Amino acid sequence: VSRLDAAVAAVERLGPLDERAMAAAAAHLDALTKPQGSLGRLEEVVVQLAGIAGEAAPPVHPAAIVVAAADHGIARRGVSAYPPEVTAQMVRNFLAGGAAINQLAAGIGAELVVLDLGVVGPVSPPGDTAATVRLVSGRIRDGTDDIATGPAMTRDEAGAAIAAGVDVAAELAARGVRLLGVGEMGIGNTTAASAIASVLTGFPPDSVTGLGTGLDADGRRRKVELIARSREVNRPDPRDPLGVLAAVGGLEIGALVGLVLGAAAARIPVVLDGFIVGTAALVACDLAPGLAPRLIAGHRSPEPGHAIVLQRLGLRPLLELELRLGEATGAALAMGVVQAAVRIRDGMATFDDAGVSGRA
Amino acid sequence: VSRLDAAVAAVERLGPLDERAMAAAAAHLDALTKPQGSLGRLEEVVVQLAGIAGEAAPPVHPAAIVVAAADHGIARRGVSAYPPEVTAQMVRNFLAGGAAINQLAAGIGAELVVLDLGVVGPVSPPGDTAATVRLVSGRIRDGTDDIATGPAMTRDEAGAAIAAGVDVAAELAARGVRLLGVGEMGIGNTTAASAIASVLTGFPPDSVTGLGTGLDADGRRRKVELIARSREVNRPDPRDPLGVLAAVGGLEIGALVGLVLGAAAARIPVVLDGFIVGTAALVACDLAPGLAPRLIAGHRSPEPGHAIVLQRLGLRPLLELELRLGEATGAALAMGVVQAAVRIRDGMATFDDAGVSGRA
């Protein structure tokens, strides 16, 4: 777990956001030909980016999106509208360029990386493909165990999943990536996410459990019961985030914890996707208090647990478009907003340059 | 006013959205490798685009943004945080490429057109410029009269402003534009917009009046009083939208009415910007009932009247980013979301193509 400890220590060493860089960014925004603050959330983002990077006008190119993927033992109990083999099928679809995230990543000019932590079944693409998606293996094991009967994985495996995420973040940082979006693929993973959210926020399973990608009311009721059972069986301690991850989490959720920590440690702003990524961010913030201001909540999903998790993180989402797909689709759309904010920051004229009068 | 009547008649002839095209678009979305409906608002947009165009998968390129600009007599009373000369200064800034909308239009690959209906002062750019912004003159008069003492303009002038917008929409349609965003520039125009909103929705001025681009509480109180006085002096009849526009509206608001009508008549989806554009859309929908489903609400602004206007239009905004700049900035950001939705529609693999299993 030493890579985890190192990443946590690196985030802690950064301390709070850089106030001087934020003040410089805010002053620059105020000099641009628009009423002060009139670009609302876009201006907030520009100031936050400065605080994260420690410079007034950090670039957000190149951008990368990492989709962490793994399978879940609990999926065999029908907690998803889709069968477990869809995880591997969708990873192959990512690699072949056929998924929603392929289109959205291309639309914002972001590199797409698929990180396999433990997908059951073959994950190489079906044949030659024109898609420029990179598959990185961080395989720990073939999916998790059923959390309704025991822990998802061992503590070491949870640490290894986090370390795999830290490694990918470090590699992207070394290659100069300046904006990271993160998402996930794993049939059954809203169940794991709801279990984590329930343990870490103290809300009962019923409050943080939704329909996932398309359960009916009966399916949701079974899901809530299984989450409650996973808590009884594993008795995870909310003061031990790594233990919670090992007990009721998922391999891809662990990797997301590491991606968030690793990117934050490298001063790279991280745009979060939906509910599952949100729970990973919550684990990461419980491991490294002070991390949250380095995160940008991309999209609030309709999953009832997501609003609760975002509240705990103290983050307001940029978008609410009723997406419930995952794959970093919400993150990618929000990254487009971040890029637009930076375009404005870098491209607009100042009042002086343009000969525009200030306030009356 | 015959161009107005013709545009209204053309919209009425279209009737409701094309159900067959919408069903085809929905069926296509359901075949793509994602849970049905999991792309939320993006899927709604794709279906709406089909219904508007009358074809299952209409393109949204080329895209154009029109910013209608004019001055307001009421601005001399200090209803804005900025002096009236800023309207002309900002139009020159648009033409020189220095404004926020220049950056956002470039970011989504949209042509930018500035339509001058009555800006006071010179509007040609200060010199040679590399910006590719087109200035179109639809000048009616040098700004409106003070609505606190009489009508903003004559009924004929209001009709002419609408006709100028219809003409620009027709020209863009003839050149093949398939997605239109509309915005405005005019110091003092939230006062006119609040007056229109108050008359057409029946809400008192206080409920539909906000801080504009940066008033303080005292400034807002004066603004509310002037709006109330404009209603007493002019006694606009809410059943006569053209009369309301002439009495308490603005030249650029009239042009926006025409742009919305003209684009809708040409089956071009129109992405609305903020509060002022919203009131223009309300006038247009009162002139041509059945128009609203052809509009996409891009962004909800913090102006309290905007939520009321959107409610009356029956439109839900795609974005809420606390923008209060105008210039079509909210529309441009939402057009990026529309483009992303279309990318997904056109680029994703189907379950069959990708060999992905359907629901369990």
Side-chain angles (χ1 to χ4, degrees):
Chain A
V1 206
S2 68
R3 243 135 63 249
L4 164 57
D5 291 337
V8 167
V11 170
E12 297 291 295
R13 267 197 309 277
L14 291 176
L17 297 190
D18 186 321
E19 293 284 348
R20 190 179 302 198
M22 291 167 80
H28 172 71
L29 289 170
D30 286 349
L32 301 178
T33 50
K34 56 166 190 55
Q36 289 189 10
S38 63
L39 285 169
R41 302 292 309 275
L42 300 193
E43 299 198 29
E44 284 179 24
V45 164
V46 164
V47 171
Q48 185 186 1
L49 291 174
I52 293 167
E55 50 182 307
V60 290
H61 280 289
I65 292 172
V66 179
V67 178
D71 272 298
H72 292 258
I74 191 85
R76 288 187 298 274
R77 292 182 182 265
V79 289
S80 167
Y82 289 80
E85 61 263 28
V86 166
T87 305
Q89 291 168 346
M90 282 303 298
V91 167
R92 293 198 292 276
N93 195 24
F94 297 149
L95 298 174
I101 190 55
N102 296 99
Q103 295 303 317
L104 295 180
I108 59 166
E111 172 189 6
L112 181 58
V113 176
V114 179
L115 174 59
D116 171 21
L117 288 311
V119 175
V120 177
V123 293
S124 50
D128 278 355
T129 165
T132 54
V133 184
R134 195 153 56 98
L135 175 66
V136 174
S137 177
R139 285 187 81 83
I140 313 291
R141 46 179 284 177
D142 273 1
T144 52
D145 287 329
D146 182 353
I147 60 175
T149 57
M153 57 192 135
T154 68
R155 196 175 177 89
D156 279 354
E157 286 164 343
I162 295 176
V166 170
D167 287 349
V168 170
E171 186 252 337
L172 294 172
R175 293 210 345 268
V177 164
R178 299 299 299 254
L179 179 67
L180 177 65
V182 289
E184 44 56 48
M185 177 71 221
I187 296 296
N189 65 5
T190 58
T191 303
S194 291
I196 292 171
S198 169
V199 174
L200 292 183
T201 68
F203 278 80
D206 191 52
S207 301
V208 293
T209 302
L211 305 178
T213 49
L215 286 179
D216 58 15
D218 270 355
R220 181 181 166 282
R221 200 152 35 231
R222 280 198 306 277
K223 186 172 161 183
V224 169
E225 283 164 12
L226 287 166
I227 291 166
R229 204 189 305 171
S230 77
R231 292 194 56 171
E232 287 157 26
V233 166
N234 291 293
R235 303 228 160 264
D237 178 353
R239 292 158 304 179
D240 172 22
L242 183 62
V244 174
L245 178 66
V248 299
L251 295 157
E252 81 282 40
I253 298 175
L256 290 164
V257 173
L259 282 160
V260 166
L261 285 169
R267 293 183 174 275
I268 298 172
V270 184
V271 183
L272 307 178
D273 196 39
F275 174 50
I276 296 138
V277 171
T279 61
L282 194 53
V283 172
C285 290
D286 280 356
L287 288 166
L291 169 64
R294 299 180 180 274
L295 310 178
I296 296 169
H299 176 263
R300 187 180 66 73
S301 98
E303 282 287 305
H306 198 191
I308 292 168
V309 165
L310 289 172
Q311 171 90 21
R312 259 286 309 270
L313 290 167
L315 299 176
R316 291 167 64 206
L318 282 173
L319 302 175
E320 298 191 10
L321 293 167
E322 299 173 12
L323 310 179
R324 47 188 176 79
L325 176 58
E327 296 181 8
T329 47
L333 288 163
M335 290 165 82
V337 174
V338 172
Q339 290 175 338
V342 167
R343 248 188 183 283
I344 283 170
R345 178 195 74 191
D346 294 346
M348 276 183 72
T350 63
F351 280 99
D352 282 352
D353 291 342
V356 174
S357 306
R359 293 175 69 97
Chain B
V1 203
S2 67
R3 245 138 60 249
L4 164 57
D5 292 339
V8 167
V11 170
E12 298 291 296
R13 267 197 308 277
L14 290 176
L17 297 190
D18 187 322
E19 293 284 348
R20 191 178 303 196
M22 292 167 80
H28 171 70
L29 289 170
D30 286 349
L32 301 178
T33 49
K34 56 168 190 53
Q36 291 190 7
S38 63
L39 285 170
R41 302 293 310 275
L42 301 192
E43 299 199 30
E44 283 180 24
V45 164
V46 164
V47 171
Q48 184 187 3
L49 292 174
I52 293 168
E55 50 183 306
V60 290
H61 280 289
I65 293 172
V66 180
V67 178
D71 272 300
H72 292 258
I74 192 85
R76 288 187 297 272
R77 290 181 183 266
V79 289
S80 169
Y82 289 81
E85 60 264 28
V86 167
T87 305
Q89 291 168 346
M90 282 303 298
V91 167
R92 293 198 292 276
N93 195 23
F94 297 149
L95 297 173
I101 189 57
N102 296 99
Q103 295 304 318
L104 295 181
I108 60 165
E111 174 189 4
L112 181 58
V113 176
V114 179
L115 174 58
D116 169 22
L117 288 311
V119 174
V120 177
V123 292
S124 50
D128 277 353
T129 166
T132 54
V133 184
R134 196 153 57 96
L135 174 66
V136 174
S137 176
R139 285 186 82 82
I140 313 289
R141 47 180 283 177
D142 273 1
T144 52
D145 288 328
D146 181 353
I147 60 174
T149 57
M153 57 191 134
T154 68
R155 195 174 179 90
D156 278 355
E157 286 166 342
I162 295 177
V166 170
D167 287 349
V168 169
E171 185 252 337
L172 293 172
R175 292 207 349 264
V177 164
R178 298 299 299 256
L179 179 67
L180 178 65
V182 291
E184 44 56 48
M185 178 69 222
I187 296 297
N189 65 6
T190 59
T191 302
S194 291
I196 293 172
S198 169
V199 175
L200 292 183
T201 68
F203 278 80
D206 191 52
S207 302
V208 293
T209 302
L211 305 178
T213 48
L215 287 179
D216 59 14
D218 271 354
R220 182 182 166 282
R221 201 151 35 233
R222 281 197 306 277
K223 187 173 161 183
V224 169
E225 284 165 11
L226 287 166
I227 291 165
R229 203 189 305 171
S230 78
R231 293 194 55 171
E232 286 157 25
V233 166
N234 291 292
R235 304 228 159 262
D237 178 352
R239 291 159 305 179
D240 172 23
L242 184 61
V244 174
L245 178 65
V248 298
L251 294 158
E252 81 282 39
I253 298 176
L256 289 164
V257 173
L259 282 159
V260 166
L261 286 169
R267 292 183 173 276
I268 297 172
V270 184
V271 183
L272 307 178
D273 196 39
F275 175 49
I276 296 138
V277 171
T279 60
L282 194 53
V283 172
C285 290
D286 280 357
L287 288 166
L291 168 64
R294 296 179 182 277
L295 309 179
I296 296 168
H299 176 262
R300 187 180 67 72
S301 97
E303 283 287 305
H306 199 192
I308 291 169
V309 164
L310 289 172
Q311 170 92 18
R312 258 286 309 270
L313 290 167
L315 299 176
R316 291 167 66 206
L318 282 173
L319 303 175
E320 299 192 9
L321 293 167
E322 299 173 10
L323 310 178
R324 46 187 176 79
L325 176 58
E327 298 181 7
T329 48
L333 288 163
M335 290 166 81
V337 175
V338 172
Q339 290 174 339
V342 166
R343 245 186 186 283
I344 283 171
R345 179 195 74 191
D346 294 346
M348 275 183 73
T350 63
F351 280 99
D352 283 353
D353 291 344
V356 174
S357 305
R359 293 174 70 95

